[in-house]
Amino acid sequence: DNQHATSSVILYAMMHFFAHFWFWFFSIFTYLTLAAIGDLPINTTMASLMVIVIVFCLVAFYFFSRGYRKGLVVKSIRWIGYIPGLHKWSQRFQENHAESLQSIDNQIAALHSDDKHAFYKSLLLEFLSRIVQSSEVFFMLLLFGIDCGGGFTGLTLTYLHSILIVSFTTLFANLIGFLPMQLGVQEGGFVLSIAALGLSAALGIFVSIICRVREMVWIAIGMALMRLR
């Protein structure tokens, strides 16, 4: 029914963002590890940014944990009421749909409380999908002759650099995610993240263009398949 469909969509969105926060959190310690072995630079500005991201992720973990335990919809509608001009709408919506909203929250909470295996499996798959996504940047870096000296160690470092590039780009894109298709934001994220690793900013532009072309190709394929159906 509509309530199950709504809760499924909300659960997907929550898991999608929850995995993003874990990916950013993991990337911070990846950077610190590489900095500790002398592979990447670290300065006061970079350290301050990482502290901010760590705090940002920890706060998000807290709110997500509460949302998964008790649901998130009722509180979200209540929070919307604090926005100037939306207080009356929020009250009316809560009064008219109180039972439905509570039912959706109960279904959201049920995933974590009743089926923890499915919950953590979904989280792990979402997290690993971002690790795999980094392969795209990894192969592009190899295409441009960047392999950190080659060999197993060099390729491993290059892959870790790719994870950091994707992590910073997605963080940057989500912070400024109101633009259609994140036009310009994704490209700027690639340029800044690649430059931060000591590589050419021009390389960031090439990588972002290739990623954007890939997105357009898959969008075209998806729309073609929809028309065929």
Side-chain angles (χ1 to χ4, degrees):
D1 57 11
N2 290 337
Q3 292 179 14
H4 280 89
T6 302
S7 61
S8 297
V9 172
I10 294 173
L11 278 170
Y12 167 76
M14 288 177 65
M15 186 61 72
H16 182 74
F17 283 107
F18 194 38
H20 262 310
F21 282 106
W22 277 109
F23 182 57
W24 298 329
F25 196 67
F26 167 79
S27 299
I28 291 295
F29 292 96
T30 300
Y31 191 101
L32 290 174
T33 300
L34 294 177
I37 64 175
D39 179 66
L40 292 177
I42 187 167
N43 51 40
T44 303
T45 301
M46 183 63 70
S48 300
L49 288 174
M50 286 191 287
V51 169
I52 292 172
V53 174
I54 288 174
V55 173
F56 181 53
C57 289
L58 291 176
V59 171
F61 293 155
Y62 170 75
F63 281 107
F64 271 100
S65 65
R66 288 182 60 86
Y68 277 118
R69 288 199 308 269
K70 301 180 180 179
L72 196 66
V73 177
V74 174
K75 287 187 177 180
S76 296
I77 299 298
R78 194 174 300 155
W79 289 338
I80 291 175
Y82 292 108
I83 300 175
L86 294 179
H87 179 68
K88 291 183 178 179
W89 174 88
S90 174
Q91 280 189 325
R92 287 198 306 270
F93 194 86
Q94 290 181 73
E95 292 170 359
N96 296 334
H97 304 279
E99 186 176 342
S100 298
L101 293 174
Q102 190 58 54
S103 176
I104 292 171
D105 269 347
N106 291 338
Q107 292 173 38
I108 291 173
L111 173 65
H112 184 266
S113 61
D114 297 343
D115 197 348
K116 283 186 169 57
H117 177 74
F119 174 83
Y120 289 111
K121 184 178 179 181
S122 299
L123 177 59
L124 179 62
L125 288 174
E126 278 281 351
F127 175 80
L128 291 178
S129 70
R130 285 148 184 77
I131 302 296
V132 174
Q133 180 187 356
S134 305
S135 301
E136 180 181 35
V137 174
F138 171 70
F139 288 119
M140 280 189 275
L141 292 180
L142 295 182
L143 179 66
F144 289 106
I146 299 171
D147 58 5
C148 295
F152 178 78
T153 301
L155 293 177
T156 300
L157 290 175
T158 305
Y159 198 89
L160 292 176
H161 290 177
S162 303
I163 290 175
L164 295 176
I165 291 170
V166 172
S167 178
F168 180 84
T169 302
T170 55
L171 175 61
F172 187 71
N174 278 278
L175 289 176
I176 316 177
F178 55 86
L179 296 175
M181 289 187 67
Q182 297 175 338
L183 291 175
V185 179
Q186 177 174 290
E187 288 74 12
F190 272 117
V191 171
L192 290 174
S193 59
I194 288 178
L197 297 179
L199 302 175
S200 169
L203 176 60
I205 297 175
F206 283 119
V207 171
S208 64
I209 290 174
I210 295 173
C211 289
R212 185 66 73 184
V213 170
R214 183 260 303 162
E215 288 180 359
M216 299 304 295
V217 168
W218 281 108
I219 289 173
I221 292 174
M223 294 182 67
L225 291 174
M226 289 173 63
R227 290 183 65 86
L228 287 175
R229 293 184 61 185

